[in-house]
Amino acid sequence: MIRKKKQSSQIEVSVYDRIKIVAKILSAAWGARKLAVIAYFVAAIIEIAAMLVALYATAKLGAILAGYVFTGNSEGVWFWLGVDIASIVITGLAFWAMSYSRTLIYFSLARKIINDFLNHLCKIDLQAFHDNDFRTKLNKVAGSYIWQLPNLAHTSLDLIYSILRFIAITAVVAKISWWLIPIIAIFLIPKVIGESITAKTQWFVWDSKGDFRHIFWGLEYLVRQADVQM
């Protein structure tokens, strides 16, 4: 449930609501560019798989080289070197495919949002524009609707990719040394807390101080006019 604090004017969003928001953003991205969304996740899976193969091949190379020092046997070194290089190349190509797909999603979603916003704007009665509350809400949307949702889609895609990558790495590390998992989690906790605080601050500035946005942009426009008469 989304709750708003009366004193601090900040909004608390539960984990369930966050998941629903991400799902809606991904649904909007899917509606704007289905093939690009599919391509992104296919490329992400390929990148994760290639990354794991590269890690395994690097470990095998290390073991072979270590064995060579003591036994002089280097059998398999060229095979695993080839696997390692191929995995690195595939990882790079997968990253490129993810970046390209993400760019397509960004601009396709931005175009769809612009069309939807202008269509809804044309349906609003002119009398409503004289209402201060309505104008404040409209300026909040008009000031960020072009880039806000595409950026959220970008972030949501990367979030899911990061979760999948973390699960894959954790599964591999757990097979090797399970006690490393708590250490990894400890290093991630400060980053999660820091990003959460930053997100809350950004939302507070955008939402609670939104009534000053149209004043700021109006003054900023006047200052930029070379022939303004004071």
Side-chain angles (χ1 to χ4, degrees), residues 9-28:
S9 299
Q10 292 187 4
I11 289 179
E12 293 183 351
V13 183
S14 66
V15 175
Y16 176 72
D17 287 316
R18 292 172 190 264
I19 295 174
K20 286 175 62 178
I21 291 171
V22 171
K24 288 182 178 180
I25 293 171
L26 292 179
S27 177

Side-chain angles (χ1 to χ4, degrees), residues 168-211:
I169 294 175
T170 302
V172 173
V173 172
K175 291 288 186 179
I176 302 172
S177 300
W178 64 267
W179 53 269
L180 289 174
I181 304 303
I183 296 177
I184 295 175
I186 290 173
F187 279 104
L188 288 176
I189 288 173
K191 181 179 180 181
V192 172
I193 294 175
E195 289 182 351
S196 177
I197 294 174
T198 301
K200 287 183 179 180
T201 303
Q202 290 174 338
W203 175 260
F204 173 75
V205 172
W206 186 85
D207 181 59
S208 299
K209 300 302 179 181
D211 50 344

Side-chain angles (χ1 to χ4, degrees), residues 4-226:
K4 187 171 184 179
K5 294 181 180 179
K6 293 182 179 180
Q7 295 181 351
S8 62
S9 299
Q10 292 187 4
I11 289 179
E12 293 183 351
V13 183
S14 66
V15 175
Y16 176 72
D17 287 316
R18 292 172 190 264
I19 295 174
K20 286 175 62 178
I21 291 171
V22 171
K24 288 182 178 180
I25 293 171
L26 292 179
S27 177
W30 177 264
R33 200 89 178 199
K34 296 181 179 64
L35 292 179
V37 175
I38 295 173
Y40 178 86
F41 284 112
V42 170
I45 292 173
I46 293 174
E47 188 278 331
I48 293 172
M51 178 266 300
L52 294 177
V53 172
L55 289 176
Y56 183 77
T58 301
K60 291 291 291 185
L61 281 172
I64 292 172
L65 293 176
Y68 177 76
V69 174
F70 296 100
T71 65
N73 182 17
S74 61
E75 183 180 357
V77 65
W78 293 111
F79 172 78
W80 289 110
L81 179 61
V83 171
D84 201 5
I85 294 174
S87 300
I88 293 173
V89 171
I90 292 173
T91 299
L93 291 175
F95 266 126
W96 175 85
M98 290 170 61
S99 177
Y100 184 75
S101 301
R102 201 166 46 212
T103 301
L104 289 178
I105 294 170
Y106 184 95
F107 288 107
S108 297
L109 188 57
R111 181 178 61 184
K112 182 178 184 301
I113 291 170
I114 291 173
N115 291 335
D116 291 344
F117 177 77
L118 294 179
N119 287 333
H120 283 86
L121 194 64
C122 292
K123 298 176 182 178
I124 298 174
D125 191 277
L126 291 177
Q127 188 64 30
F129 290 90
H130 296 282
D131 181 73
N132 288 331
D133 291 336
F134 173 79
R135 197 164 59 249
T136 295
K137 293 178 181 178
L138 180 62
N139 277 285
K140 283 183 181 180
V141 177
S144 60
Y145 76 98
I146 295 177
W147 57 268
Q148 193 72 275
L149 283 177
N151 279 352
L152 286 173
H154 184 290
T155 304
S156 298
L157 290 170
D158 283 351
L159 174 64
I160 295 175
Y161 160 72
S162 298
I163 292 173
L164 293 175
R165 204 169 196 265
F166 175 75
I167 292 173
I169 294 175
T170 302
V172 173
V173 172
K175 291 288 186 179
I176 302 172
S177 300
W178 64 267
W179 53 269
L180 289 174
I181 304 303
I183 296 177
I184 295 175
I186 290 173
F187 279 104
L188 288 176
I189 288 173
K191 181 179 180 181
V192 172
I193 294 175
E195 289 182 351
S196 177
I197 294 174
T198 301
K200 287 183 179 180
T201 303
Q202 290 174 338
W203 175 260
F204 173 75
V205 172
W206 186 85
D207 181 59
S208 299
K209 300 302 179 181
D211 50 344
F212 297 106
R213 290 170 65 87
H214 62 281
I215 298 176
F216 168 79
W217 291 118
L219 292 174
E220 191 266 349
Y221 172 77
L222 291 175
V223 169
R224 286 190 292 106
Q225 303 307 303

